[in-house]
Amino acid sequence: MAKKTTAEKLATIQRGYTLDGPTIELGAAIVDGEVHKEAQVRLPLSMMNRHGLVAGATGTGKTVTLHMMAEQLSTAGVPVFLADIKGDLSGLATAATASEKLTARTASLGQEWVGKAFPVEFLSLGGDGNGVPVRATITSFGPILLSRIMELNDTQESSLQLIFHFADQKKLELIDLKDLRAVIQFLTSDEGKAELEDLGGLSKATAGVILRELVNLEAQGMEKFFGEPEFDTAELLRTAPDGRGVISCLELPTLQTKPMLFSTFLMWLLADLFEDLPEAGDLDKPKLVFFLDEAHLLFSDASKAFLEAITTTVRLIRSKGVGIFFVTQTPKDVPAAVLGQLANRVQHALRAFTPEDAKALKATVSTFPVSDYDLEETLTSAGIGEAVITVMNEKGAPTPVALTKLRAPESVMGPSTDELIRSTIAASPLLPKYGTAVDNISAYEKLTDRGTAPSTGEAAPGRPPVPASVDPQSVDAEARRIEEEILGRPSSRPLPGSEAWPPAPAPVQTPAPQQGGDGMMGDLAGVLGGALGGGIKSMARSFGTQLGRELLRGVFGTSSRRRR
């Protein structure tokens, strides 16, 4: 085949990146060693929910690429989520100043550059770092993600799912680590022996192993990441008063000491969004673009259930208007089932210093469409701030591969000042809502007799409380609410104050044992009561026949009070 001329190569790129709708401008194509500003490389805004990959060796400019893309998304009114691992992305809140070097670069790209600051919301996991604290309840986090953090094997993960199923059925709220510890301690105690046997498939020895791992998490100081108020992921979808998308920047200052926790927490945010958001179909622009940095941490030694859940989430969340960009060093860090769903590729330079590096290079080249470039040579010789790009055009076809000199960000490429970060956090509308941790009554208090209900006597640790009295009016009101929610019709219960009230007590019914026991996507079923212990039995008798239901859990076993 005849070798193409420079003009022919340029024409191919220009045709491929001539797009009708709004776009994210990525840079100018480099052909035969020269930057051609007449050949602009861009990404359709409507295709951002087809997901993407930003890859490259350390120091090749991946973070600056995220920075530049986040700015343009915000300008287009699209909210963005970023994990700020090195602290550099906080510079989005500070306008950059021009320099001779910067002006020369932007001129060579045909970029009209103006220094700007962008609306940034600073977040931190559990208050670990600078930002509004982000917490999750144990119930919401779910057994699959928690198993990932605890590094449980498949058998132990299945057993933890049974424990969550038990807590869901018995209305034992798992808010923080001590709640889950209290439930496991009860199940492994003499009082909980019968319940442990009823669960089936959960041995006392396995429960003991899970309990030890849980205590280990507490010893590492991870309890601050779990609790209330739980972060509502809808906060990530906000826009500023001027219409620009808010950039939520999650600081991860201690990533190196807790890499599994942080990567799994990011997946919880995505899973919660996936469960909450309605189907949206094809949109002109996404509702949110989520950049998942250090993506290799997600997949390293992951269980089959975890990998399947990630694959399902990535495949389905695009129809809800969310785009995910995985950020890592090489495409081989991402499983094939996930990589095949990443239509937009920004590949920075790779190094080939070792046989393993050379193998990764060949694998990376094989994932690109046929092009006019010698990609093995191009990927090892590309400079900082350059990347090989192919994206999905508006018709759903891949654009031509183009080595691209990337645009410069308009905000500071580095951290903002501490004063600016502190003042931004202090002025955040989220701080009053999430700034202070609360400890509401939950499984721990119920199982250690520390709840608000009076007790007939001091309960032993790990034993359920024994209420002496229950306000029948408040109980009946809750029963009416649950009945109406589940049956979708007005309750048949008499209103307080009517001649027929209070209703005559009815016998307590015990739910039939559930098969499978993982509690995920369970049917709406169950009668409040059961055989958790004398105190719960007594309370159930007072409740009568009020209806309950099992928590609905998503693909990761996650659940949320907002979805109850």
Side-chain angles (χ1 to χ4, degrees):
M1 187 174 69
K3 186 176 180 181
K4 288 185 178 181
T5 65
T6 298
E8 289 173 329
K9 295 175 184 177
L10 276 175
T12 298
I13 292 173
Q14 286 173 314
R15 284 194 304 270
Y17 289 93
T18 299
L19 305 167
D20 295 329
T23 61
I24 299 298
E25 301 294 323
L26 299 176
I30 302 173
V31 178
D32 293 337
E34 296 292 328
V35 178
H36 294 268
K37 61 183 177 182
E38 70 274 20
Q40 291 293 312
V41 177
R42 47 181 65 95
L43 197 168
L45 197 59
S46 60
M47 291 291 120
M48 291 289 282
N49 68 333
R50 263 45 174 196
H51 311 318
L53 176 74
V54 179
T58 300
T60 54
K62 296 192 299 296
T63 301
V64 177
T65 298
L66 306 188
H67 194 129
M68 174 264 293
M69 292 175 71
E71 289 181 346
Q72 294 188 59
L73 285 164
S74 175
T75 300
V78 178
V80 178
F81 174 87
L82 295 166
D84 191 7
I85 292 172
K86 294 177 288 187
D88 294 344
L89 294 171
S90 64
L92 283 157
T94 305
T97 55
S99 66
E100 185 176 338
K101 182 178 179 181
L102 179 62
T103 301
R105 180 183 180 90
T106 56
S108 71
L109 298 173
Q111 178 184 357
E112 296 180 5
W113 187 93
V114 179
K116 297 176 185 175
F118 294 83
V120 179
E121 184 72 66
F122 294 105
L123 306 175
S124 63
L125 284 185
D128 185 17
N130 294 315
V132 175
V134 174
R135 305 179 188 88
T137 63
I138 292 293
T139 282
S140 174
F141 208 70
I144 296 178
L145 294 179
L146 192 60
S147 295
R148 174 75 171 155
I149 291 177
M150 296 167 70
E151 301 184 57
L152 303 181
N153 61 33
D154 289 346
T155 300
Q156 293 161 354
E157 181 179 304
S158 297
S159 297
L160 185 60
Q161 290 183 26
L162 287 175
I163 294 168
F164 270 73
H165 177 70
F166 170 80
D168 289 350
Q169 282 192 318
K170 304 303 179 183
K171 309 301 176 188
L172 293 171
E173 300 87 351
L174 303 178
I175 303 301
D176 49 27
L177 291 178
K178 73 177 185 298
D179 289 319
L180 182 56
R181 173 165 47 83
V183 170
I184 299 174
Q185 286 174 331
F186 169 73
L187 288 172
T188 55
S189 69
D190 291 339
E191 292 83 0
K193 183 178 180 181
E195 295 291 346
L196 188 66
E197 292 175 354
D198 288 344
L199 280 176
L202 175 61
S203 70
K204 187 171 183 177
T206 301
V209 170
I210 296 172
L211 182 60
R212 286 196 296 273
E213 292 298 330
L214 196 60
V215 172
N216 186 43
L217 288 186
E218 292 177 311
Q220 294 176 42
M222 292 193 185
E223 71 278 356
K224 63 185 174 182
F225 302 110
F226 299 100
E228 290 183 317
E230 180 177 83
F231 187 76
D232 185 349
T233 50
E235 311 286 9
L236 303 178
L237 305 176
R238 293 178 300 133
T239 55
D242 61 6
R244 291 185 296 172
V246 171
I247 301 172
S248 298
C249 192
L250 180 68
E251 184 178 346
L252 304 176
T254 56
L255 174 71
Q256 301 307 318
T257 60
K258 302 181 181 74
M260 197 74 74
L261 170 69
F262 291 133
S263 62
T264 309
F265 236 98
L266 299 186
M267 208 63 225
W268 170 75
L269 291 173
L270 270 179
D272 196 70
L273 282 166
F274 173 74
E275 296 300 333
D276 268 2
L277 291 175
E279 290 292 322
D282 292 327
L283 303 173
D284 292 336
K285 61 183 180 182
K287 294 180 180 179
L288 172 71
V289 174
F290 197 104
F291 290 95
L292 217 164
D293 209 350
E294 298 291 342
H296 67 281
L297 296 175
L298 271 179
F299 306 109
S300 177
D301 300 321
S303 70
K304 181 180 179 181
F306 187 80
L307 289 176
E308 288 176 349
I310 292 176
T311 304
T312 300
T313 301
V314 173
R315 185 175 69 250
L316 299 180
I317 201 170
R318 75 170 186 84
S319 65
K320 299 191 174 190
V322 176
I324 307 171
F325 277 70
F326 291 87
V327 186
T328 189
Q329 294 201 10
T330 71
K332 73 181 184 65
D333 293 335
V334 181
V338 175
L339 188 63
Q341 300 178 56
L342 310 184
N344 303 305
R345 302 282 299 277
V346 180
Q347 178 67 59
H348 287 263
L350 292 173
R351 308 299 179 221
F353 298 140
T354 68
E356 185 66 25
D357 290 341
K359 186 177 179 181
L361 175 62
K362 288 183 179 295
T364 299
V365 170
S366 69
T367 64
F368 279 89
V370 175
S371 74
D372 295 325
Y373 294 90
D374 179 343
L375 287 181
E376 285 197 32
E377 178 183 348
T378 300
L379 286 174
T380 53
S381 60
I384 297 173
E386 298 175 357
V388 172
I389 293 174
T390 180
V391 301
M392 183 177 285
N393 68 19
E394 293 160 322
K395 296 180 180 179
T399 58
V401 174
L403 176 62
T404 306
K405 188 169 185 178
L406 298 169
R407 291 166 66 96
E410 296 178 321
S411 54
V412 168
M413 290 184 285
S416 289
T417 64
D418 290 342
E419 292 77 14
L420 176 63
I421 294 173
R422 283 196 296 267
S423 63
T424 302
I425 295 169
S428 169
L430 303 185
L431 189 62
K433 186 175 180 181
Y434 300 108
T436 303
V438 296
D439 189 9
N440 293 313
I441 294 175
S442 50
Y444 176 79
E445 286 78 14
K446 290 180 178 181
L447 291 172
T448 57
D449 197 23
R450 297 183 185 182
T452 56
S455 172
T456 58
E458 193 69 22
R463 184 164 184 167
V466 186
S469 63
V470 178
D471 177 9
Q473 186 165 341
S474 62
V475 167
D476 196 67
E478 178 66 7
R480 289 178 59 82
R481 184 192 67 77
I482 294 173
E483 183 178 347
E484 290 174 351
E485 182 178 351
I486 294 173
L487 299 181
R489 59 167 173 75
S491 173
S492 58
R493 292 171 172 270
L495 289 170
S498 68
E499 292 183 2
W501 193 89
V508 177
Q509 300 178 23
T510 302
Q514 299 290 320
Q515 299 300 318
D518 61 5
M520 293 174 61
M521 299 305 292
D523 295 328
L524 292 177
V527 179
L528 191 63
L532 179 57
I536 298 298
K537 285 181 180 177
S538 174
M539 187 179 294
R541 292 190 194 101
S542 299
F543 280 16
T545 58
Q546 69 175 273
L547 296 169
R549 60 170 174 161
E550 182 181 342
L551 288 177
L552 291 175
R553 292 195 173 274
V555 292
F556 276 101
T558 56
S559 180
S560 171
R561 291 190 172 205
R562 300 187 302 280
R563 297 192 292 273
R564 290 187 187 180

